[in-house]
Amino acid sequence: VDVISVNTPALIYDKEEAAMAQHRADAEGFLETLPPVSHPRACVPRILLTHIPLFRKWSEKCGPRRQAKSSIQQFYGDHFQNLVGQSESNRLLSRVRPVLVLTGDDHDYCTVAHPYGVIEETVGTFSWLQGMCCPSVLLLSINQTRAVQVEQECVAALASASLDGVQHSNVTGANDASLLVTAPCFLPNQLKIYTWYAVLGCLTLLLLVVAPLL
């Protein structure tokens, strides 16, 4: 399995911004170096890794793993935006052809489905200081045997017909539960832990002061 990391912050900035022009050119140049879909090397299952989540509909829900009540929606600010634009997101998906997309930035979990059956997992933060009472890590398990099978099936499809005429999900292993499995690992509520530390600390100090007077 190949992990493809793309500098999405560079892609979303305007081409006229001189400070970001070289970074954008580097990111676009990297995408052009990826083997085309008709190349056997493109048959290796890919995981797309980006900082900013990809575009989704405004009403798209994030699933049960999310701690916040609201979903991820597109907002713009000074040199930031919550999502990669729609055209750039489509370009990334069509160029990289990933079996899974892993993103961050939002600090909370969000699971959405993209075209071709591709699942995007926005990974939660490991620090409770970033707004999540229950920080976490995401465990990713890869079935290497199945990954080799997927690659071989894709190469066989290339040899017999045009890959463009074969369903993407049947070639790359997208939406294949036997290839990739993700599982969030949540830590206990950190605020409650430190609250109890403070309470027990105060009780200890109180006992140290009061005990000699008894």
Side-chain angles (χ1 to χ4, degrees):
V1 174
D2 288 343
V3 178
I4 309 296
S5 180
V6 177
N7 183 5
T8 46
L11 291 176
I12 66 174
Y13 291 126
D14 192 280
K15 294 182 179 180
E16 302 302 321
E17 294 190 40
M20 294 299 297
Q22 186 58 52
H23 295 293
R24 184 184 179 98
D26 291 342
E28 291 180 339
F30 170 73
L31 288 176
E32 293 303 318
T33 64
L34 295 177
V37 69
S38 59
H39 194 282
R41 181 59 188 171
C43 287
V44 178
R46 294 170 174 172
I47 297 174
L48 173 60
L49 183 66
T50 82
H51 177 70
I52 303 174
L54 302 185
F55 181 83
R56 73 285 312 272
K57 295 179 180 178
W58 183 271
S59 59
E60 193 80 40
K61 302 299 182 183
C62 282
R65 295 176 176 178
R66 189 168 181 81
Q67 298 181 58
K69 294 181 179 179
S70 60
S71 59
I72 304 177
Q73 298 172 339
Q74 183 67 294
F75 290 103
Y76 298 88
D78 185 18
H79 287 83
F80 87 89
Q81 62 188 62
N82 289 350
L83 300 172
V84 178
Q86 185 172 11
S87 60
E88 292 293 353
S89 294
N90 292 338
R91 180 188 175 197
L92 285 171
L93 290 172
S94 62
R95 184 64 182 173
V96 179
R97 298 278 181 139
V99 298
L100 175 68
V101 181
L102 296 176
T103 58
D105 187 61
D106 185 69
H107 302 163
D108 199 356
Y109 279 101
C110 187
T111 303
V112 296
H114 292 293
Y116 312 113
V118 177
I119 299 298
E120 176 184 344
E121 296 273 9
T122 300
V123 182
T125 178
F126 189 66
S127 172
W128 74 285
L129 296 177
Q130 293 181 321
M132 296 294 107
C133 290
C134 296
S136 62
V137 295
L138 184 71
L139 177 64
L140 171 64
S141 299
I142 301 175
N143 186 335
Q144 188 60 34
T145 302
R146 178 56 183 153
V148 172
Q149 292 175 346
V150 168
E151 181 180 357
Q152 292 173 344
E153 291 168 3
C154 174
V155 172
L158 277 176
S160 61
S162 171
L163 187 61
D164 290 332
V166 183
Q167 286 294 325
H168 178 272
S169 60
N170 293 333
V171 174
T172 63
N175 207 22
D176 187 342
S178 64
L179 175 60
L180 299 172
V181 177
T182 60
C185 304
F186 289 96
L187 276 65
N189 189 305
Q190 302 295 291
L191 185 58
K192 290 183 179 180
I193 291 175
Y194 289 109
T195 299
W196 274 109
Y197 280 161
V199 171
L200 293 175
C202 292
L203 290 175
T204 301
L205 291 175
L206 182 61
L207 288 173
L208 289 175
V209 173
V210 174
L213 303 178
L214 298 178

Coordinates of all heavy atoms in Angstrom, one line a residue, residues 60-125:
E60 N -23.8 17.2 4.9 CA -23.2 15.8 5.1 C -22.9 15.6 6.6 O -22.3 16.4 7.3 CB -21.8 15.8 4.3 CG -21.2 14.4 4.3 CD -21.9 13.5 3.2 OE1 -22.2 14.1 2.1 OE2 -22.1 12.3 3.4
K61 N -23.3 14.5 7.1 CA -23.2 14.1 8.5 C -21.8 13.4 8.7 O -21.2 12.8 7.7 CB -24.3 13.2 9.0 CG -25.7 13.8 8.8 CD -25.8 15.1 9.6 CE -27.2 15.7 9.5 NZ -27.3 16.9 10.3
C62 N -21.3 13.4 9.9 CA -20.0 12.9 10.2 C -20.0 11.5 10.8 O -18.9 10.9 11.0 CB -19.2 13.9 11.1 SG -18.6 15.3 10.3
G63 N -21.1 11.0 11.2 CA -21.1 9.6 11.8 C -21.0 9.7 13.3 O -20.8 10.7 13.9
P64 N -21.1 8.5 13.9 CA -21.2 8.4 15.4 C -19.9 8.6 16.1 O -19.9 8.8 17.4 CB -21.7 6.9 15.6 CG -21.2 6.2 14.4 CD -21.3 7.2 13.3
R65 N -18.8 8.6 15.5 CA -17.5 8.8 16.2 C -17.3 10.3 16.6 O -16.5 10.5 17.5 CB -16.3 8.4 15.3 CG -16.3 6.9 15.0 CD -15.1 6.6 14.0 NE -15.0 5.2 13.7 CZ -14.1 4.7 12.9 NH1 -13.3 5.5 12.2 NH2 -14.1 3.4 12.7
R66 N -18.0 11.2 16.0 CA -17.8 12.6 16.2 C -18.3 13.0 17.6 O -19.4 12.7 18.0 CB -18.4 13.4 15.1 CG -18.1 14.9 15.2 CD -18.5 15.6 13.9 NE -18.2 17.0 13.9 CZ -17.0 17.5 13.5 NH1 -16.0 16.7 13.2 NH2 -16.7 18.8 13.5
Q67 N -17.5 13.8 18.3 CA -17.9 14.3 19.7 C -18.7 15.6 19.6 O -19.6 15.8 20.4 CB -16.7 14.5 20.5 CG -15.9 13.3 20.8 CD -14.7 13.5 21.7 OE1 -14.8 14.0 22.8 NE2 -13.5 13.1 21.2
A68 N -18.4 16.5 18.6 CA -19.1 17.7 18.5 C -20.5 17.4 17.8 O -20.6 16.4 17.1 CB -18.3 18.7 17.6
K69 N -21.4 18.3 18.0 CA -22.7 18.2 17.5 C -22.8 18.6 16.0 O -23.6 18.1 15.2 CB -23.8 19.0 18.3 CG -23.9 18.5 19.7 CD -25.0 19.3 20.4 CE -25.2 18.8 21.9 NZ -26.2 19.6 22.6
S70 N -22.0 19.5 15.6 CA -22.0 20.0 14.2 C -21.0 19.2 13.4 O -20.1 18.6 13.8 CB -21.6 21.5 14.2 OG -20.3 21.7 14.7
S71 N -21.3 19.2 12.1 CA -20.4 18.6 11.1 C -19.4 19.6 10.6 O -19.4 20.7 11.0 CB -21.3 18.0 10.0 OG -22.0 19.0 9.3
I72 N -18.5 19.1 9.7 CA -17.5 20.0 9.1 C -18.1 20.7 7.9 O -18.6 20.0 6.9 CB -16.3 19.2 8.6 CG1 -15.7 18.4 9.8 CG2 -15.2 20.1 8.1 CD1 -14.5 17.5 9.5
Q73 N -18.2 22.0 7.9 CA -18.7 22.8 6.8 C -17.7 23.8 6.3 O -16.8 24.1 7.0 CB -20.0 23.5 7.3 CG -21.1 22.5 7.8 CD -22.3 23.1 8.4 OE1 -22.2 24.3 8.9 NE2 -23.4 22.5 8.5
Q74 N -18.0 24.2 5.1 CA -17.0 25.2 4.5 C -17.1 26.6 5.1 O -18.2 27.2 5.0 CB -17.2 25.2 3.0 CG -16.2 26.0 2.2 CD -14.8 25.5 2.3 OE1 -14.2 25.5 3.3 NE2 -14.3 25.1 1.1
F75 N -16.0 27.1 5.7 CA -15.9 28.4 6.1 C -14.6 29.0 5.7 O -13.6 28.2 5.6 CB -16.1 28.6 7.6 CG -17.5 28.3 8.1 CD1 -17.9 27.1 8.7 CD2 -18.5 29.3 7.9 CE1 -19.1 26.9 9.1 CE2 -19.8 29.0 8.4 CZ -20.1 27.8 9.0
Y76 N -14.5 30.3 5.4 CA -13.3 30.9 5.0 C -12.9 31.9 6.0 O -13.7 32.6 6.7 CB -13.5 31.6 3.6 CG -13.8 30.7 2.5 CD1 -15.2 30.3 2.3 CD2 -12.9 30.1 1.7 CE1 -15.5 29.5 1.2 CE2 -13.2 29.2 0.7 CZ -14.5 28.9 0.4 OH -14.9 28.1 -0.6
G77 N -11.5 32.1 6.2 CA -11.0 33.1 7.0 C -9.7 33.7 6.4 O -9.4 33.5 5.2
D78 N -8.9 34.4 7.3 CA -7.7 34.9 6.8 C -6.7 33.8 6.6 O -6.1 33.3 7.6 CB -7.2 35.9 7.8 CG -5.9 36.7 7.3 OD1 -5.6 36.6 6.1 OD2 -5.2 37.2 8.2
H79 N -6.4 33.5 5.4 CA -5.5 32.4 5.0 C -5.9 31.0 5.5 O -5.0 30.2 5.9 CB -4.0 32.8 5.5 CG -3.4 33.9 4.6 ND1 -3.7 35.2 4.9 CD2 -2.6 33.8 3.6 CE1 -3.0 35.9 4.0 NE2 -2.3 35.1 3.2
F80 N -7.1 30.7 5.6 CA -7.6 29.4 6.0 C -8.9 29.1 5.4 O -9.7 30.1 5.1 CB -7.5 29.2 7.5 CG -8.8 29.6 8.2 CD1 -9.9 28.7 8.3 CD2 -9.0 30.9 8.6 CE1 -11.1 29.1 9.0 CE2 -10.2 31.3 9.3 CZ -11.2 30.4 9.4
Q81 N -9.3 27.9 5.3 CA -10.6 27.4 5.0 C -10.8 26.0 5.5 O -9.8 25.3 5.6 CB -10.9 27.5 3.5 CG -10.0 26.7 2.6 CD -10.3 27.0 1.1 OE1 -10.1 28.1 0.6 NE2 -10.8 26.0 0.4
N82 N -12.0 25.7 5.9 CA -12.2 24.4 6.5 C -12.1 23.2 5.6 O -11.8 22.1 6.1 CB -13.6 24.4 7.2 CG -13.7 25.3 8.4 OD1 -12.6 25.8 8.9 ND2 -14.9 25.5 8.9
L83 N -12.4 23.4 4.3 CA -12.4 22.3 3.4 C -11.6 22.6 2.1 O -11.6 23.8 1.7 CB -13.8 21.9 3.0 CG -14.8 21.5 4.1 CD1 -16.2 21.3 3.5 CD2 -14.3 20.1 4.7
V84 N -11.0 21.6 1.5 CA -10.5 21.9 0.1 C -11.6 22.1 -0.8 O -12.7 21.6 -0.7 CB -9.7 20.6 -0.3 CG1 -9.2 20.8 -1.7 CG2 -8.6 20.3 0.6
G85 N -11.5 23.0 -1.8 CA -12.5 23.3 -2.7 C -13.0 22.1 -3.5 O -12.3 21.1 -3.6
Q86 N -14.2 22.2 -4.1 CA -14.8 21.1 -4.8 C -14.0 20.6 -6.0 O -13.8 19.4 -6.2 CB -16.2 21.4 -5.2 CG -17.0 20.3 -5.9 CD -18.4 20.6 -6.1 OE1 -18.9 21.7 -6.0 NE2 -19.2 19.6 -6.5
S87 N -13.5 21.6 -6.8 CA -12.8 21.2 -8.0 C -11.4 20.6 -7.6 O -11.0 19.6 -8.2 CB -12.5 22.4 -8.8 OG -11.8 23.4 -8.1
E88 N -10.7 21.1 -6.6 CA -9.5 20.5 -6.2 C -9.7 19.2 -5.5 O -8.9 18.3 -5.7 CB -8.8 21.5 -5.2 CG -8.3 22.8 -5.8 CD -7.2 22.6 -6.8 OE1 -6.7 21.4 -6.9 OE2 -6.8 23.6 -7.5
S89 N -10.8 19.0 -4.8 CA -11.1 17.7 -4.2 C -11.3 16.6 -5.2 O -10.8 15.5 -5.2 CB -12.3 17.8 -3.3 OG -12.0 18.7 -2.1
N90 N -12.1 17.0 -6.3 CA -12.3 16.1 -7.4 C -11.1 15.7 -8.1 O -10.9 14.6 -8.5 CB -13.4 16.6 -8.3 CG -14.8 16.8 -7.7 OD1 -15.1 16.0 -6.8 ND2 -15.6 17.6 -8.2
R91 N -10.2 16.7 -8.2 CA -8.9 16.5 -8.9 C -8.1 15.5 -8.1 O -7.4 14.6 -8.7 CB -8.2 17.8 -9.1 CG -6.9 17.7 -9.8 CD -6.1 19.0 -9.8 NE -4.8 18.9 -10.3 CZ -3.8 19.8 -10.2 NH1 -4.1 20.9 -9.4 NH2 -2.7 19.6 -10.7
L92 N -8.0 15.7 -6.8 CA -7.2 14.8 -6.0 C -7.7 13.4 -6.0 O -6.9 12.4 -6.2 CB -7.2 15.3 -4.5 CG -6.4 16.5 -4.2 CD1 -6.7 17.0 -2.8 CD2 -4.9 16.2 -4.3
L93 N -9.0 13.2 -5.9 CA -9.6 11.9 -6.0 C -9.4 11.2 -7.3 O -9.1 10.0 -7.4 CB -11.1 11.9 -5.6 CG -11.5 12.3 -4.2 CD1 -13.0 12.5 -4.1 CD2 -11.0 11.2 -3.2
S94 N -9.5 11.9 -8.4 CA -9.4 11.3 -9.7 C -7.9 11.1 -10.1 O -7.6 10.1 -10.8 CB -10.0 12.2 -10.8 OG -9.3 13.5 -10.8
R95 N -7.0 11.9 -9.5 CA -5.6 11.7 -9.8 C -4.9 10.7 -8.9 O -4.2 9.8 -9.4 CB -4.9 13.1 -9.7 CG -3.4 13.1 -10.0 CD -3.2 12.8 -11.5 NE -1.8 12.7 -11.9 CZ -1.4 12.3 -13.1 NH1 -2.3 12.0 -14.0 NH2 -0.1 12.3 -13.4
V96 N -5.2 10.7 -7.6 CA -4.6 9.8 -6.7 C -5.3 8.4 -6.7 O -4.7 7.4 -6.6 CB -4.6 10.4 -5.3 CG1 -4.0 9.4 -4.3 CG2 -3.8 11.7 -5.3
R97 N -6.7 8.4 -6.9 CA -7.5 7.2 -6.9 C -7.2 6.4 -5.6 O -6.8 5.2 -5.6 CB -7.1 6.3 -8.1 CG -7.4 7.0 -9.4 CD -8.9 6.8 -9.8 NE -9.2 7.4 -11.1 CZ -10.1 6.8 -11.9 NH1 -10.7 5.7 -11.7 NH2 -10.3 7.4 -13.1
P98 N -7.5 7.0 -4.4 CA -7.1 6.3 -3.1 C -8.2 5.3 -2.7 O -9.3 5.4 -3.2 CB -7.1 7.5 -2.1 CG -8.1 8.5 -2.7 CD -8.0 8.4 -4.2
V99 N -7.8 4.4 -1.9 CA -8.8 3.5 -1.3 C -9.3 4.1 0.0 O -10.3 3.7 0.5 CB -8.2 2.1 -1.0 CG1 -7.8 1.5 -2.3 CG2 -7.0 2.2 -0.1
L100 N -8.5 5.0 0.6 CA -8.9 5.7 1.8 C -8.2 7.0 1.9 O -7.1 7.2 1.4 CB -8.4 4.8 3.0 CG -8.6 5.4 4.4 CD1 -10.0 5.4 4.8 CD2 -7.8 4.6 5.5
V101 N -9.0 8.0 2.5 CA -8.4 9.3 2.6 C -8.4 9.6 4.1 O -9.4 9.5 4.9 CB -9.3 10.4 2.0 CG1 -8.7 11.8 2.2 CG2 -9.5 10.1 0.5
L102 N -7.2 10.0 4.6 CA -7.0 10.4 6.0 C -6.7 11.9 6.1 O -5.8 12.4 5.5 CB -5.9 9.6 6.7 CG -6.1 8.1 6.8 CD1 -4.9 7.4 7.3 CD2 -7.3 7.8 7.6
T103 N -7.5 12.6 6.9 CA -7.3 14.1 7.0 C -7.3 14.5 8.5 O -7.6 13.7 9.3 CB -8.4 14.9 6.3 OG1 -9.7 14.5 6.8 CG2 -8.4 14.5 4.8
G104 N -7.0 15.7 8.7 CA -6.9 16.3 10.1 C -7.6 17.6 10.2 O -8.7 17.8 9.7
D105 N -6.9 18.6 10.8 CA -7.3 20.0 10.9 C -8.5 20.2 11.8 O -8.4 21.2 12.6 CB -7.5 20.5 9.5 CG -7.8 22.0 9.5 OD1 -6.9 22.8 9.9 OD2 -8.9 22.5 9.1
D106 N -9.5 19.4 11.7 CA -10.7 19.7 12.5 C -10.7 19.3 13.9 O -11.4 19.8 14.8 CB -11.9 19.0 11.8 CG -13.2 19.4 12.4 OD1 -13.7 20.5 12.3 OD2 -13.8 18.5 13.1
H107 N -9.7 18.4 14.3 CA -9.5 17.9 15.7 C -10.6 16.9 16.1 O -10.4 16.4 17.2 CB -9.4 19.1 16.7 CG -8.3 20.1 16.4 ND1 -8.3 21.3 16.9 CD2 -7.3 20.0 15.6 CE1 -7.2 22.0 16.5 NE2 -6.6 21.2 15.6
D108 N -11.6 16.7 15.3 CA -12.6 15.7 15.7 C -12.9 14.8 14.6 O -12.6 15.0 13.4 CB -13.9 16.5 16.1 CG -14.9 15.7 16.9 OD1 -14.6 14.5 17.2 OD2 -16.0 16.3 17.3
Y109 N -13.5 13.6 14.9 CA -13.7 12.6 13.9 C -14.8 13.0 13.0 O -15.8 13.6 13.4 CB -14.0 11.2 14.6 CG -12.8 10.5 15.0 CD1 -12.5 10.5 16.4 CD2 -12.0 9.8 14.1 CE1 -11.3 9.8 16.8 CE2 -10.9 9.1 14.5 CZ -10.6 9.1 15.9 OH -9.4 8.5 16.3
C110 N -14.7 12.6 11.7 CA -15.7 12.7 10.7 C -15.5 11.7 9.6 O -14.4 11.6 9.1 CB -15.7 14.1 10.2 SG -17.1 14.5 9.1
T111 N -16.5 10.9 9.4 CA -16.4 9.9 8.3 C -17.4 10.2 7.2 O -18.6 10.3 7.5 CB -16.7 8.5 8.9 OG1 -15.8 8.2 10.0 CG2 -16.6 7.4 7.8
V112 N -16.9 10.4 6.0 CA -17.8 10.7 4.9 C -17.4 9.8 3.7 O -16.3 9.3 3.6 CB -17.8 12.2 4.5 CG1 -18.3 13.1 5.6 CG2 -16.4 12.6 4.1
A113 N -18.4 9.6 2.8 CA -18.1 8.8 1.6 C -18.0 9.8 0.4 O -18.8 10.7 0.2 CB -19.3 7.8 1.4
H114 N -17.0 9.5 -0.5 CA -16.8 10.2 -1.7 C -17.1 9.4 -2.9 O -17.4 8.2 -2.7 CB -15.3 10.7 -1.8 CG -15.0 11.8 -0.7 ND1 -15.5 13.0 -0.7 CD2 -14.2 11.7 0.4 CE1 -15.1 13.7 0.3 NE2 -14.2 12.9 1.0
P115 N -17.1 9.9 -4.1 CA -17.3 9.1 -5.3 C -16.4 7.9 -5.4 O -15.3 8.0 -4.8 CB -17.1 10.1 -6.5 CG -17.4 11.4 -5.9 CD -17.0 11.4 -4.4
Y116 N -16.7 6.9 -6.1 CA -15.9 5.7 -6.3 C -15.9 4.8 -5.1 O -15.2 3.9 -4.9 CB -14.5 6.0 -6.7 CG -14.3 6.9 -7.8 CD1 -13.7 8.2 -7.6 CD2 -14.7 6.6 -9.1 CE1 -13.5 9.1 -8.6 CE2 -14.6 7.5 -10.2 CZ -13.9 8.8 -9.9 OH -13.8 9.7 -10.9
G117 N -16.8 5.1 -4.1 CA -16.8 4.4 -2.8 C -15.7 4.6 -1.9 O -15.4 3.9 -1.0
V118 N -15.0 5.8 -2.1 CA -13.8 6.1 -1.2 C -14.3 6.7 0.1 O -15.1 7.7 0.1 CB -12.9 7.1 -2.0 CG1 -11.8 7.6 -1.1 CG2 -12.4 6.5 -3.2
I119 N -13.8 6.2 1.2 CA -14.1 6.7 2.5 C -13.0 7.7 3.0 O -11.9 7.4 2.9 CB -14.3 5.6 3.5 CG1 -15.4 4.6 3.1 CG2 -14.6 6.1 4.9 CD1 -16.8 5.3 3.0
E120 N -13.5 8.8 3.5 CA -12.6 9.8 4.2 C -12.7 9.8 5.7 O -13.9 9.9 6.2 CB -12.8 11.2 3.6 CG -11.9 12.2 4.3 CD -12.1 13.6 3.9 OE1 -12.8 13.8 2.8 OE2 -11.7 14.6 4.6
E121 N -11.6 9.6 6.4 CA -11.7 9.6 7.8 C -10.9 10.9 8.3 O -9.7 11.0 8.1 CB -11.0 8.4 8.4 CG -11.7 7.1 8.1 CD -12.8 6.7 9.1 OE1 -13.1 7.6 10.0 OE2 -13.3 5.6 9.1
T122 N -11.6 11.8 8.9 CA -11.0 13.0 9.5 C -10.6 12.5 10.9 O -11.5 12.2 11.7 CB -11.8 14.2 9.6 OG1 -12.2 14.6 8.2 CG2 -11.1 15.4 10.2
V123 N -9.3 12.5 11.3 CA -8.8 11.9 12.5 C -8.9 12.9 13.7 O -8.6 14.1 13.5 CB -7.4 11.4 12.3 CG1 -6.9 10.7 13.6 CG2 -7.3 10.4 11.1
G124 N -9.3 12.4 14.8 CA -9.4 13.3 16.0 C -8.0 13.6 16.6 O -7.0 13.0 16.3
T125 N -8.0 14.6 17.4 CA -6.7 15.1 18.0 C -6.3 14.2 19.2 O -7.2 13.6 19.9 CB -6.8 16.5 18.5 OG1 -5.6 16.9 19.1 CG2 -7.9 16.7 19.5

